[in-house]
């Protein structure tokens, strides 16, 4: 049974102090699916684009074994657009534009053959839409959800309803504080664990990621890259590598979830080395596993 992914597919305009790109392939579901495709197949994609979505981007997704039966293409509609500008410190980003386009009236329909999927990744979109997808699934076993400040601020009640049905929530550190309304990260995480998820994964950009459950705290480093080209999609790519590995192994033990965090971080490190999805287009499994091992060595030292 495939891995179900829902989220945005979009066209991004991104600028950093060093370069600028327009109309690049973007969107949460795009990054999640492409990263997950290195671990498992098929990926069942649920999303929507307008007629303006370039054919070459559709071809790229299909090449990665991503099943597009659940992708609606709306005649005359405009694809989701996002524009962001990174500061000299690439951890800081301003959103310049969010145009929902076809997502505004999106009514997600999960094709019959996708409905049995038990591993589900609810990528970053309106929590109302994430819930609509979840409601069509027959027996979810592992529901991973990503969200962002845009939805925490604009759709908090809907997000709180959704969280009751989520097993693993992936958000960044500032969103953790915002969602919990608590400045201390650990206290904020504990508060969120009371809202539904059994596990919270907090992404901290170039400082790695934290896995927090009621009785575990696990810290994963970030890969020390000398050249970061475009951080866009790193969080979604993390989610894709994470759930792709869990789906491949079908093992939800805490030790395996820790491994999935390292695979998520591994994929995110490839993503930021190039612009848009370029860093995820042609990696090769050997490089993925080599970098996974380098990650392990980053924080390994002798026991006392
Ligand atoms: P990340 O850098 O992981 O936060 O992901 C950036 C991607 O998320 C971009 O490719 C955007 O197209 C997409 N994105 C940005 N804002 C939103 C939003 N409000 N809803 C859905 N997707 C979004």
């Amino acid at each position: 049974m495939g891995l179900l992914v829902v989220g945005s597919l979009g066209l991004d305009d991104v600028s950093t102090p060093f370069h600028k790109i327009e109309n690049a392939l973007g969107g949460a579901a795009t990054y999640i699916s492409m990263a997950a495709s290195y671990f498992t197949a098929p990926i069942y994609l649920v999303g929507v684009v307008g007629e303006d979505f370039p054919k070459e981007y559709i071809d790229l997704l299909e090449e990665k074994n991503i099943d597009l039966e659940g992708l609606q293409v709306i005649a005359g509609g405009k694809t989701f657009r996002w524009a962001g500008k990174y500061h000299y410190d690439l951890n800081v980003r301003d959103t310049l534009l969010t145009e929902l386009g076809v997502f505004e009236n999106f009514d997600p329909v999960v094709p019959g053959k996708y409905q049995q999927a038990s591993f589900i990744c609810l990528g970053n979109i309106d929590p109302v839409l994430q819930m609509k997808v979840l409601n069509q699934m027959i027996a979810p076993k592992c529901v991973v959800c990503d969200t962002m400040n845009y939805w925490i601020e604009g759709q908090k009640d809907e997000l709180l309803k959704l969280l009751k049905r989520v097993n693993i929530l992936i958000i960044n550190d500032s969103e953790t504080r915002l969602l919990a309304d608590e400045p201390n990260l650990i206290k904020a995480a504990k508060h969120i664990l009371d809202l539904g998820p059994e596990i919270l994964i907090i992404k901290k950009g170039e400082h790695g990621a934290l896995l927090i459950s009621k009785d575990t705290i696990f810290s994963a480093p970030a890969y020390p890259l000398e050249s970061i080209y475009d951080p866009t999609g790193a969080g979604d790519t993390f989610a894709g590598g994470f759930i792709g590995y869990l789906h491949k192994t079908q093992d939800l033990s805490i030790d395996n979830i820790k491994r999935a965090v390292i695979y998520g971080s591994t994929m995110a490190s490839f993503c930021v080395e190039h612009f848009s999805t370029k860093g995820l287009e042609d990696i090769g499994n050997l490089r993925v596993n080599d970098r996974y091992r380098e990650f392990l060595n980053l924080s390994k030292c002798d026991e006392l």
Side-chain angles (χ1 to χ4, degrees):
M1 190 49 58
L3 163 67
L4 186 112
V5 175
V6 60
S8 55
L9 292 100
L11 299 172
D12 289 349
D13 295 343
V14 176
S15 68
T16 74
F18 320 107
H19 78 286
K20 201 172 168 199
I21 45 162
E22 289 180 349
N23 291 320
L25 174 58
T30 306
Y31 284 104
I32 295 169
S33 309
M34 288 184 68
S37 74
Y38 283 89
F39 299 92
T40 195
I43 315 281
Y44 295 151
L45 184 64
V46 173
V48 64
V49 292
E51 251 178 350
D52 54 348
F53 193 66
K55 163 103 175 49
E56 60 182 285
Y57 293 167
I58 298 268
D59 293 344
L60 180 64
L61 295 171
E62 279 176 337
E63 272 166 34
K64 291 273 160 218
N65 235 324
I66 298 167
D67 185 315
L68 299 182
E69 196 185 317
L71 178 68
Q72 298 177 24
V73 182
I74 305 294
K78 281 209 180 318
T79 296
F80 172 82
R81 293 196 79 98
W82 176 82
K85 181 177 178 215
Y86 291 87
H87 292 220
Y88 195 70
D89 170 357
L90 292 173
N91 285 303
V92 186
R93 150 174 115 184
D94 298 328
T95 291
L96 304 179
L97 172 90
T98 302
E99 263 179 25
L100 294 180
V102 286
F103 268 100
E104 213 146 1
N105 298 311
F106 180 41
D107 189 14
V109 178
V110 179
K113 81 170 186 213
Y114 293 10
Q115 289 173 5
Q116 296 276 0
S118 53
F119 283 69
I120 299 161
C121 191
L122 304 172
N124 175 30
I125 40 168
D126 188 336
V128 174
L129 298 175
Q130 293 173 314
M131 183 71 107
K132 276 191 174 176
V133 168
L134 199 50
N135 284 340
Q136 294 172 62
M137 304 307 291
I138 293 168
K141 183 167 134 197
C142 174
V143 179
V144 173
C145 176
D146 191 359
T147 191
M148 70 183 297
N149 52 352
Y150 189 84
W151 306 115
I152 298 171
E153 282 162 348
Q155 290 281 46
K156 189 156 181 186
D157 290 347
E158 299 301 328
L159 181 62
L160 292 178
K161 274 187 224 156
L162 179 76
L163 288 184
K164 293 192 183 8
R165 297 176 58 190
V166 164
N167 303 102
I168 303 176
L169 177 67
I170 302 182
I171 52 175
N172 72 28
D173 42 0
S174 63
E175 291 157 358
T176 304
R177 295 184 173 99
L178 181 68
L179 178 58
D181 197 14
E182 161 61 55
N184 179 282
L185 202 57
I186 303 301
K187 280 191 191 158
K190 288 191 170 159
H191 176 75
I192 293 172
L193 291 176
D194 287 335
L195 301 176
E198 293 123 56
I199 292 179
L200 183 67
I201 294 174
I202 304 175
K203 298 168 288 183
K204 298 193 294 162
E206 66 179 348
H207 306 297
L210 272 182
L211 177 161
I212 303 188
S213 73
K214 286 238 150 55
D215 43 26
T216 309
I217 297 189
F218 171 69
S219 170
Y223 191 74
L225 288 169
E226 285 201 23
S227 142
I228 297 178
Y229 199 78
D230 175 6
T232 309
D236 305 311
T237 301
F238 174 95
F242 175 81
I243 194 156
Y245 177 73
L246 287 182
H247 182 256
K248 173 187 164 178
T249 51
Q250 299 277 313
D251 173 357
L252 293 173
S253 65
I254 195 74
D255 284 341
N256 203 50
I257 294 176
K258 289 179 187 174
R259 280 179 216 116
V261 169
I262 304 291
Y263 271 115
S265 308
T266 299
M267 297 312 289
S269 74
F270 286 116
C271 172
V272 302
E273 283 182 310
H274 297 276
F275 74 88
S276 176
T277 57
K278 281 276 172 283
L280 299 176
E281 286 173 23
D282 193 15
I283 308 175
N285 288 337
L286 273 180
R287 283 183 66 212
V288 172
N289 285 330
D290 278 353
R291 191 161 286 183
Y292 177 89
R293 281 187 209 99
E294 286 179 56
F295 258 100
L296 296 184
N297 285 332
L298 275 175
S299 41
K300 206 185 318 175
C301 68
D302 292 341
E303 282 190 34
L304 283 178

